[in-house]
Each structure stands twice: as C-alpha cells, then as structure tokens.
Amino acid sequence: MNVLIVYAHPEPTSFNAALVARAKAVLRAAGHMVTVSDLYADGFDPEAGRHDFSTIADADRFHYQSEQALAAREEAFVAEIAREQARVAAADLLVLQFPLWWGGPPAILKGWFERVLAYGFAYVDGRRFDTGVFKGRRALLSVTTGGTTARFGPHGVYGEIEKVLWQTQRLTLQYMGYSVEEPFVAYGAPRVGDEGRAAYLDEFARRVVEAAAKPVERRTDEALLESVPADAWARTC
C-alpha cells in the first residue's frame, strides 16, 4: 500500500511530529510505502493565485477553477503543486495529521487543499462524493486538541468532534470520493502527561496499520477533463 501523510505542524518536537514518526515506523514495518509531505518544513505556500500556474486562461479576469482546468489539461501547475498532486495520485491511503486550531486545520493545510486538490485533478463536474475521482481509496484524519474529551462531548462547549471535523471529512475528503475512516483524535494532548501520550501513540499506530490493511480500488482516469467544456467555469459578472 502507498500511504501519504500530509503533516501540518511547525514544531519538529511536537506531539504531532511524534505521531507522524510512529506512523511511518509501523507502516514501513508492515511493508507499506510511506511518503510524508511536511508542509511547514517544505515551506509550502498556502496562498492561491496566478503564481500557481505557468499558463493563463484569462489575462483580464482571474477565476481560479478556470485556471486550474487549463493547467490540468496542459500539465502547467507549478512544481510544488505538481509534486503534491503526484503524491496524492500515488496514494492508496491519505492521512492528514494536524492540530485543531480555531476549530479547524491550520491555514497551511487549508491552503494545501485549495491549491493541490484542484479542479481537473481532484474533482470535476459530475464527479463528486459517490462518483468522486478518488472513489475506492481511503483517508484518515489524525487530530490533536488542547480541549479535553468532555469539551467535545454531546454537551461540551466546543460541540461534538464529528461536527467540528465535518467540513474536512465531508466537504473535502468524501467530496473527492474517499472512504473516510473514523478520525483518530488525541484529546487534551498537552494535558494528559507522558503516559497518556504514550497510549495515544500506541492507539494511533494500531489505527493507521489497520486502515492501511483494508482493501482499496485504484482507478485511473486519464480522460478526466474530456467531458468538461473548456469554458465550464466561465462567468459573465
């Protein structure tokens, strides 16, 4: 199995880093191939713009999906986007590793979604959810929180974790067709002490190896954009 871990934390000694290191070790020991996109270490640029492309669909008006569609047709994404897209395309299992900041992923990961999971690469009209481009593959969120389990419970002040993570799970991963595993959440990671964090590491190791062992169906779609008109995203205002 090919596993891609997209890791979004700026501190190499963080607990998020420890989770990534454990996942790499156990997955490779189980015979899987593992690639890590370390967004902060790589200096990934989260800001979308014309700098994403070496082509121009419309010089007078910047419409992101139109530019993405042309770049997908002409293989004209800049190098860091093309690199990440190649990693996504090769992955049977996609793992997103991040701390929960202000109720969502860090901005650098949100920017990765917007720039890498482009129109023409990760989705097109008529290819979403049950017909998504990555249908048959799997994805797993691994999240750390500062808040305790109680704060994310049915009566917790932050709301149930399923609702907090819904946007990423449903409107990003499932939108592209992934079968999404139950998220792994290390609640109150700064508060649980060494013993608690060790238990989290062991549980995550079990979860990620279990996810990687599940069957996937790899599909190739070299004609993804053939049914999409070149002006599919044209606007008059």
Side-chain angles (χ1 to χ4, degrees), residues 21-109:
R22 176 64 69 87
K24 282 197 302 183
V26 297
L27 286 166
R28 287 172 176 167
H32 303 293
M33 297 179 63
V34 183
T35 301
V36 177
S37 286
D38 186 339
L39 301 186
Y40 282 97
D42 292 343
F44 184 83
D45 182 0
E47 184 176 351
R50 286 199 180 275
H51 58 273
D52 289 353
F53 318 106
S54 60
T55 50
I56 298 176
D58 187 338
D60 297 322
R61 180 179 183 275
F62 180 66
H63 185 264
Y64 199 42
Q65 283 90 346
S66 297
E67 301 296 338
Q68 288 179 325
L70 179 63
R73 283 190 171 91
E74 300 190 7
E75 298 183 356
F77 290 100
V78 295
E80 72 170 352
I81 295 177
R83 177 196 69 210
E84 295 301 306
Q85 288 178 341
R87 291 174 176 178
V88 173
D92 302 297
L93 172 64
L94 172 64
V95 180
L96 302 180
Q97 178 67 59
F98 61 92
L100 194 68
W101 287 351
W102 289 102
I108 199 169
L109 181 54

Side-chain angles (χ1 to χ4, degrees), residues 148-182:
T148 62
T149 306
R151 291 183 177 178
F152 289 97
H155 306 292
V157 293
Y158 297 153
E160 297 178 17
I161 194 67
E162 292 81 7
K163 295 178 180 178
V164 174
L165 298 177
W166 186 86
Q167 181 178 354
T168 303
Q169 294 224 118
R170 179 63 178 166
L171 299 182
T172 303
L173 297 174
Q174 290 178 349
Y175 183 89
M176 295 185 295
Y178 283 102
S179 296
V180 181
E181 300 287 308
E182 180 182 351

Side-chain angles (χ1 to χ4, degrees), residues 15 22 193-203:
F15 187 59
R22 176 64 69 87
D194 290 344
E195 184 176 343
R197 286 187 287 272
Y200 279 144
L201 288 168
D202 290 342
E203 176 62 13

